[in-house]
Amino acid sequence: MNVFAPFTGMLLLPDKAPFGSVSPVTLADGRPIATIRWHNWSMSARYEILDPVNGAVLAAGSRNGLGSREFQLTDAWNRPLLSLKLSRWGAARPGTLAVVGGRPLTTQGNWTARQFTVTDEQQRPVARIVNNSPLLSLRPDGLVFELMAPVMSVVHAIGLAQSMRAAVESERGSGVSISFG
């Protein structure tokens, strides 16, 4: 499967394991599609998206500066793939999502419930991210990413989910943005 091709379907992004810095991303049927490697204790919420078979870096993402509400995703050659700019009032207000080679998209959601929607320029929902972790879990941030329209690739979707997770971590008041997934 080409992880850079437009994608429709569901991705499962489990919360980060309590020990370690690598977690799998799977399709809805459980097949591995990528792996996320976090740079724990990173002030810029850095992570890489890896090929699940050979561990090659497919893309890397981070916050655009300490305390910034802007996130970026680049490919293995440092070419831009995605940028996300969130409102300074949080995800309840629309954020802008630019997928290189794609149309403008908007994000909006609920920080505490960890539920986000992506809409196109006509305000039609094209993707959503929802939390699938049990209430009061020690690992509260398992996510399901559903793409209803082919507006981004698997790599873009994983990068967007990781950026939203980093933003949620910041909203929780952590002084250090620990990437988790």
Side-chain angles (χ1 to χ4, degrees):
M1 174 178 208
N2 179 356
V3 295
F4 290 99
F7 175 78
T8 56
M10 208 171 283
L11 298 173
L12 304 177
L13 298 104
D15 198 355
K16 182 179 170 188
F19 304 103
S21 61
V22 177
S23 290
V25 176
T26 62
L27 297 171
D29 64 8
R31 286 182 292 152
I33 191 77
T35 303
I36 303 168
R37 177 175 54 207
W38 298 273
H39 294 265
N40 294 328
W41 305 105
S42 169
M43 297 298 279
S44 61
R46 291 184 330 129
Y47 63 91
E48 280 103 26
I49 301 169
L50 309 174
D51 183 288
V53 176
N54 63 19
V57 174
L58 302 171
S62 66
R63 180 187 326 266
N64 284 348
L66 185 62
S68 172
R69 294 225 180 248
E70 294 182 32
F71 298 83
Q72 65 184 357
L73 180 70
T74 59
D75 68 12
W77 297 273
N78 207 31
R79 294 180 299 214
L81 293 174
L82 173 145
S83 67
L84 172 66
K85 184 176 183 180
L86 298 173
S87 164
R88 58 179 50 220
W89 304 108
R93 306 281 181 167
T96 57
L97 174 62
V99 176
V100 173
R103 56 191 198 219
L105 301 170
T106 302
T107 62
Q108 193 163 354
N110 179 312
W111 290 114
T112 56
R114 291 171 309 286
Q115 296 178 355
F116 305 96
T117 303
V118 179
T119 56
D120 65 12
E121 56 275 357
Q122 281 82 38
Q123 301 304 310
R124 294 180 301 221
V126 295
R128 66 181 174 171
I129 304 171
V130 297
N131 181 290
N132 67 342
S133 294
L135 188 63
L136 302 175
S137 171
L138 293 176
R139 295 173 63 188
D141 295 305
L143 300 175
V144 174
F145 196 125
E146 182 182 10
L147 283 150
M148 290 99 64
V151 295
M152 64 182 83
S153 70
V154 167
V155 170
H156 291 120
I158 295 168
L160 175 57
Q162 290 307 111
S163 296
M164 297 304 260
R165 285 181 174 179
V168 167
E169 185 71 16
S170 291
E171 284 294 307
R172 288 182 184 154
S174 173
V176 175
S177 179
I178 304 171
S179 304
F180 54 100

